[in-house]
Amino acid sequence: MNKIMIGLLGLSFSISGFAHPGGHEGELRVKPAKWKYTMSQAMKSEVRGEADVKRDMNRKPIQTLDFFGFRDDMSVIELIPGGGWYSKLLAPTLAENGKYYAGMFAGRMGKSLADKPGFEKMVILEADIKASRNEETRLSSVEPFSFDVEPVDMVLTFRNYHNFDKTGRMSMNKAAFDALKPGGIYGVIDHTRRHMTPFSADQRRRIDPVLAIKEIQDAGFVLVDYSMLHYKEADDLTKEVGHETVTGKTDRWTLKFRKP
């Protein structure tokens, strides 16, 4: 990931991470944002199962959201929440001062969490999404669509970009762009594929970050920054992400975009 970003793009952005407590004598100590405490409490919720908790160290949700500039008074759309790993953290954290929306194939997550404490204000966005799947590549194509929602502050999607063909990715990026306020943030994370590597079954759930940057910029976004939070040097980028030797240890790119 590091070589891809620096060697191919020549990016000069600062690498952002999560500040560890403490520091050198005399340094100014900044009180953590309230949302970080709220989310740390959500991480202890009974709504989360053992499998959720086991992924905390690898996924680093508080550090990741801090990099994206998340605040608990924002309106946030999470695209394709899957089983709700991030939903179980975002919805309770945003419940008091912000707004949590789930969009794109969010029905399964909505049904499982809608009646749980802390999820009463969660909104599942209804959209007329026409999708089809290529059974050979196992990638989905999605026709252009939009969300019927007041412009939001942030759109996030975690390890989903690889699920779509180019048409599907363009439709998702445009929907995100249209849903955001000017200045709004689009945060995207996915498993890294080596640059210019041809598509194959072993690479299906990986995607080239350089390609993702180009496509998301083509949708109108400006690249703001990238983070090495999920960089895994030991991942040689050759194995399918579910392979026993790399599952839970894949290198992932973490990109932050802004709507002008």
Side-chain angles (χ1 to χ4, degrees):
M1 173 64 177
N2 195 13
K3 293 180 180 178
I4 292 174
M5 290 296 185
I6 297 174
L8 293 174
L9 296 179
L11 296 177
S12 59
F13 301 125
S14 62
I15 297 172
S16 176
F18 182 67
H20 294 284
H24 297 294
E25 185 177 354
E27 285 185 351
L28 177 66
R29 298 191 180 189
V30 180
K31 184 178 180 180
K34 180 185 174 184
W35 72 263
K36 295 180 184 179
Y37 172 77
T38 305
M39 185 165 288
S40 69
Q41 295 304 110
M43 292 174 74
K44 302 173 186 177
S45 170
E46 293 181 358
V47 172
R48 307 182 77 223
E50 183 179 351
D52 293 326
V53 175
K54 283 183 176 180
R55 292 184 171 98
D56 289 346
M57 186 175 294
N58 183 42
R59 293 188 177 179
K60 305 175 184 178
I62 293 178
Q63 296 96 318
T64 299
L65 292 169
D66 192 39
F67 167 73
F68 287 138
F70 174 87
R71 300 190 316 270
D72 61 2
D73 61 350
M74 285 180 161
S75 51
V76 179
I77 298 176
E78 182 187 5
L79 300 178
I80 321 169
W85 193 91
Y86 258 101
S87 313
K88 295 172 186 176
L89 304 179
L90 289 167
T93 303
L94 292 164
E96 183 176 352
N97 300 309
K99 194 74 176 178
Y100 172 77
Y101 299 96
M104 287 191 78
F105 317 115
R108 177 167 65 96
M109 181 279 295
K111 289 178 181 178
S112 67
L113 295 178
D115 61 346
K116 300 292 191 298
F119 296 86
E120 298 87 352
K121 297 180 180 180
M122 174 179 67
V123 176
I124 306 300
L125 294 175
E126 301 293 338
D128 184 18
I129 300 177
K130 295 182 174 62
S132 59
R133 190 186 192 207
N134 183 311
E135 293 304 322
E136 181 178 351
T137 64
R138 298 172 68 185
L139 298 178
S140 295
S141 186
V142 179
E143 295 181 17
F145 69 96
S146 61
F147 295 114
D148 184 16
V149 64
E150 290 292 319
V152 301
D153 299 298
M154 182 173 283
V155 177
L156 300 169
T157 189
F158 305 97
R159 302 170 309 281
N160 292 306
Y161 204 76
H162 67 262
N163 285 319
F164 302 95
D165 63 11
K166 183 175 181 179
T167 298
R169 298 192 300 268
M170 293 299 94
S171 295
M172 182 170 71
N173 292 338
K174 184 178 187 305
F177 188 90
D178 293 344
L180 282 164
K181 301 174 182 177
I185 297 299
Y186 186 29
V188 189
I189 296 177
D190 216 328
H191 306 284
T192 306
R193 181 191 297 179
R194 197 179 304 280
H195 183 54
M196 300 295 287
T197 300
F199 178 86
S200 68
D202 286 342
Q203 298 290 314
R204 180 179 63 83
R205 290 195 287 175
R206 295 179 182 270
I207 193 158
D208 180 354
V210 180
L211 174 64
I213 290 170
K214 180 183 184 304
E215 292 179 345
I216 295 170
Q217 287 178 327
D218 286 347
F221 287 100
V222 174
L223 177 62
V224 176
D225 206 349
Y226 74 97
S227 172
M228 304 299 286
L229 270 169
H230 305 292
Y231 171 62
K232 302 290 185 183
E233 185 176 6
D235 182 5
D236 65 6
L237 312 184
T238 63
K239 297 180 179 65
E240 205 280 328
V241 300
H243 191 278
E244 60 182 4
T245 62
V246 295
T247 185
K249 306 172 187 176
T250 56
D251 178 63
R252 284 152 287 153
W253 45 261
T254 304
L255 299 172
K256 178 178 179 180
F257 298 87
R258 177 177 54 83
K259 177 178 177 175

